[in-house]
C-alpha cells in the first residue's frame, strides 16, 4: 500500500493477514507508523470470531536519497552524509514504535540496496540526477529529507559500482553487538531428482 492504509481499507480485505505500508515522512515517520499501528489494532479488535485473521504490518518501503537539490532546484550535489543521518533517524523512529508493538509490527525495509541509475527518466545511466526529479512538498507536507525531492536513482545504501555509502557504516554501528536473527526455512519444496 502506498501510504498508511486506513482501517476501512484493511477491513475491506479480510483475507489479507499482513499489510505493508510505504512511509515517507521526512526523517521522523513515528507519527505515521503509530497511525498504521492504531489502524491495525482497530481492525484486530473487530475480528472476534474464531478463525478470524489477526492483521500484522510492516514498513514495506522507506528511506531517502543521497542527492540533495539546492533551494532554487537549479542544481545540487550528492550528500551521502545527510542520507546516512536521515536513514538513521528513520530507523530510530521505527525502533521507538516497534519496541511497544512487536506483536503487530514485523519489520522495516529501506529502499534500496543499490543506487539504480536506470530509474532516471532521461535514459542516461551516469550518476546524475534525473531531469524530472519529483517534488513531494504538497499541501505543506515535507516528505523527502532534506530537500523535498525524490531522486530514486540515489536511494541505495551502495553506489552503483558496489562501494558502500556512509549509511552502511552508520547501520553497522547501530547493529554492532546485536544478536543475529535466526531464520528457519519452512514449507520448502521437495528436492527434485532429474
Amino acid at each position: 500500500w502506498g501510504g498508511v492504509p486506513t482501517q476501512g481499507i484493511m477491513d475491506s480485505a479480510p483475507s489479507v493477514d499482513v499489510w505493508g505500508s510505504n512511509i515517507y515522512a521526512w526523517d521522523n515517520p513515528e507519527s505515521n507508523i503509530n497511525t498504521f499501528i492504531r489502524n491495525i489494532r482497530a481492525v484486530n479488535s473487530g475480528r472476534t470470531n474464531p478463525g478470524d485473521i489477526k492483521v500484522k504490518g510492516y514498513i514495506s518501503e522507506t528511506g531517502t536519497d543521497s542527492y540533495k537539490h539546492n533551494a532554487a532546484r537549479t542544481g545540487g550535489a550528492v550528500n551521502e552524509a545527510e542520507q546516512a543521518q536521515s536513514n538513521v533517524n528513520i530507523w530510530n523512529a521505527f525502533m521507538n514504535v516497534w519496541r511497544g508493538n512487536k506483536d503487530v509490527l514485523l519489520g522495516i525495509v529501506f529502499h534500496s540496496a543499490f543506487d539504480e541509475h536506470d530509474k532516471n527518466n532521461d535514459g542516461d545511466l551516469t550518476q546524475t540526477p534525473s531531469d524530472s526529479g519529483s517534488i513531494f512538498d504538497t499541501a505543506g507536507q515535507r516528505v523527502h529529507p532534506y530537500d523535498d525531492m525524490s531522486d530514486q536513482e540515489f536511494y541505495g545504501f551502495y553506489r552503483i559500482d558496489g562501494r558502500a555509502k556512509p549509511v552502511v557504516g552508520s547501520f553497522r554501528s547501530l547493529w554492532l553487538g546485536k544478536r543475529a536473527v535466526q531464520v528457519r526455512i519452512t514449507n520448502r519444496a521437495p528436492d527434485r531428482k532429474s
Side-chain angles (χ1 to χ4, degrees), residues 4-12 38-40 42-46:
V4 177
T6 64
Q7 179 184 349
I9 293 288
M10 287 191 261
D11 277 335
S12 72
R38 275 193 305 278
N39 293 348
I40 288 171
V43 168
N44 286 341
S45 71

Side-chain angles (χ1 to χ4, degrees), residues 67 69 76-78 115-133 151-154 160:
Y67 190 88
H69 295 264
V78 171
D115 282 345
E116 301 173 285
H117 296 161
D118 58 323
K119 285 196 168 185
N120 67 14
N121 295 328
D122 59 11
D124 178 8
L125 297 181
T126 61
Q127 191 164 353
T128 58
S130 64
D131 295 332
S132 57
D151 291 287
Q152 287 203 0
E153 62 271 33
F154 288 89
I160 200 162

Side-chain angles (χ1 to χ4, degrees), residues 86-105:
S86 176
N87 281 324
V88 165
N89 293 347
I90 292 167
W91 171 260
N92 288 334
F94 168 79
M95 290 302 293
N96 287 340
V97 176
W98 177 78
R99 285 184 186 97
N101 295 285
K102 295 177 188 179
D103 58 321
V104 294
L105 188 56

Side-chain angles (χ1 to χ4, degrees), residues 47-53:
R47 295 185 178 184
T48 57
N49 297 321
D52 281 351
I53 294 171

Side-chain angles (χ1 to χ4, degrees):
W1 180 263
V4 177
T6 64
Q7 179 184 349
I9 293 288
M10 287 191 261
D11 277 335
S12 72
S15 63
V16 175
D17 55 357
V18 177
W19 282 87
S21 180
N22 295 0
I23 295 180
Y24 290 92
W26 203 248
D27 68 350
N28 187 5
E30 199 163 333
S31 169
N32 296 66
I33 298 170
N34 278 319
T35 299
F36 186 39
I37 296 302
R38 275 193 305 278
N39 293 348
I40 288 171
R41 291 198 185 286
V43 168
N44 286 341
S45 71
R47 295 185 178 184
T48 57
N49 297 321
D52 281 351
I53 294 171
K54 295 295 186 180
V55 175
K56 295 186 184 291
Y58 73 105
I59 310 310
S60 50
E61 186 178 300
T62 194
T64 190
D65 63 88
S66 61
Y67 190 88
K68 302 302 169 197
H69 295 264
N70 63 23
R73 304 218 189 330
T74 58
V78 171
N79 189 329
E80 294 174 349
E82 278 191 359
Q83 178 195 29
Q85 185 58 58
S86 176
N87 281 324
V88 165
N89 293 347
I90 292 167
W91 171 260
N92 288 334
F94 168 79
M95 290 302 293
N96 287 340
V97 176
W98 177 78
R99 285 184 186 97
N101 295 285
K102 295 177 188 179
D103 58 321
V104 294
L105 188 56
L106 301 174
I108 186 170
V109 177
F110 281 84
H111 170 50
S112 65
F114 289 88
D115 282 345
E116 301 173 285
H117 296 161
D118 58 323
K119 285 196 168 185
N120 67 14
N121 295 328
D122 59 11
D124 178 8
L125 297 181
T126 61
Q127 191 164 353
T128 58
S130 64
D131 295 332
S132 57
S134 302
I135 300 173
F136 289 95
D137 188 4
T138 58
Q141 285 188 312
R142 305 203 74 191
V143 179
H144 288 86
Y146 292 102
D147 62 356
D148 295 316
M149 294 188 76
S150 172
D151 291 287
Q152 287 203 0
E153 62 271 33
F154 288 89
Y155 269 81
F157 278 35
Y158 293 86
R159 296 178 195 99
I160 200 162
D161 63 8
R163 290 180 297 134
K165 291 182 180 180
V167 67
V168 173
S170 297
F171 273 71
R172 185 178 295 123
S173 295
L174 283 171
W175 297 340
L176 191 64
K178 303 288 187 209
R179 183 176 62 86
V181 175
Q182 298 298 314
V183 177
R184 186 179 66 155
I185 298 173
T186 59
N187 298 328
R188 187 171 173 200
D191 291 333
R192 296 186 180 189
K193 301 202 189 265
S194 42

